[in-house]
Amino acid sequence: GQNIDQPTEMTATEGAIVQINCTYQTSGFNGLFWYQQHAGEAPTFLSYNVLDGLEEKGRFSSFLSRSKGYSYLLLKELQMKDSASYLCAAKSNDYKLSFGAGTTVTVRA
Amino acid sequence: DVKVTQSSRYLVKRTGEKVFLECVQDMDHENMFWYRQDPGLGLRLIYFSYDVKMKEKGDIPEGYSVSREKKERFSLILESASTNQTSMYLCASSLTSGRALAGKNIQYFGAGTRLSVL
């Protein structure tokens, strides 16, 4: 079975840094995705990690430790438009994803 | 630009009605998926399809069926809608592994259909 855990909510100030943690227990693990979902909109792809380490893409970075079943998404220089839900998803075979419940990030001025 | 289109943003149906949710993608993707999204539960996979006329049950298939007659179209069917099927339904598509760059089968999502069953 699959078990994906991430915090429900986080709040941070504009310009700050926020780290969203995700732990997973997934049989046949084969990669970790992060998606962003604004209220009422479709989830959109942010990052993908399959090897251990940090992947940086502009203000967003994602980290994976396969041995610990752990990932995080780091959001730097927070902007108001970053207020959204962030979804952690573990890939367990060629195409299936198991999603966490999502972390709602609120950015305050 | 990639595009996954769901036929309706909002639907209101009555208990016992047969409901069709349509999804079309224009990216020539092999894989297509139907999820439902409920507060506190995240996205849960209902059914997926990896080829035309092929379908596989996801984690919560009870009460649903699907149809994939053409590569670009994947339909979700509620044979007899019930109130516990009130939810946000999301369709997604992705390339098969053999065509995806570095195994990165990114799933692209439609905007969702919010279904209310009364």
Side-chain angles (χ1 to χ4, degrees), chain A residues 2-109:
Chain A
Q2 325 297 345
N3 191 27
I4 319 293
D5 287 317
Q6 53 182 127
T8 304
E9 294 180 335
M10 303 183 76
T11 302
T13 307
E14 202 173 10
I17 297 173
V18 70
Q19 178 174 314
I20 307 169
N21 296 323
C22 172
T23 58
Y24 62 89
Q25 291 176 317
T26 303
S27 55
F29 176 78
N30 193 23
L32 196 291
F33 286 85
W34 284 95
Y35 281 81
Q36 180 190 58
Q37 186 179 23
H38 285 100
E41 297 183 12
T44 54
F45 169 76
L46 282 180
S47 69
Y48 173 68
N49 295 70
V50 64
L51 300 176
D52 285 359
L54 188 68
E55 295 276 344
E56 296 187 83
K57 194 188 295 184
R59 294 188 299 112
F60 293 2
S61 304
S62 57
F63 172 84
L64 177 67
S65 169
R66 294 177 70 118
S67 61
K68 295 182 180 178
Y70 168 69
S71 173
Y72 68 72
L73 180 69
L74 194 69
L75 286 64
K76 294 178 277 191
E77 301 169 19
L78 278 173
Q79 301 175 10
M80 300 300 288
K81 67 178 182 180
D82 298 329
S83 291
S85 183
Y86 292 85
L87 313 178
C88 173
K91 188 168 76 161
S92 57
N93 61 26
D94 279 351
Y95 38 77
K96 283 180 64 178
L97 297 181
S98 296
F99 284 85
T103 300
T104 299
V105 171
T106 302
V107 180
R108 293 187 173 159

Side-chain angles (χ1 to χ4, degrees), chain B residues 8-61:
Chain B
S8 306
R9 287 302 304 270
Y10 300 94
L11 273 179
V12 180
K13 296 292 181 181
R14 297 211 175 272
T15 302
E17 277 193 79
K18 190 169 186 175
V19 182
F20 292 87
L21 302 183
E22 305 287 345
C23 175
V24 177
Q25 50 94 2
D26 65 359
M27 298 166 282
D28 197 35
H29 284 174
E30 290 80 11
N31 303 325
M32 296 190 74
F33 309 82
W34 274 107
Y35 296 88
R36 61 178 285 176
Q37 185 174 31
D38 300 289
L41 295 178
L43 274 74
R44 293 180 291 165
L45 183 64
I46 304 171
Y47 267 96
F48 63 98
S49 169
Y50 52 88
D51 201 352
V52 175
K53 295 193 185 295
M54 304 302 289
K55 59 186 179 184
E56 294 275 349
K57 293 180 180 179
D59 300 317
I60 51 165

Side-chain angles (χ1 to χ4, degrees), chain B residues 14-19 63-64 77-85 117:
Chain B
R14 297 211 175 272
T15 302
E17 277 193 79
K18 190 169 186 175
V19 182
Y64 304 94
I77 304 153
L78 288 66
E79 295 289 342
S80 177
S82 63
T83 54
N84 63 11
Q85 293 178 309
V117 182

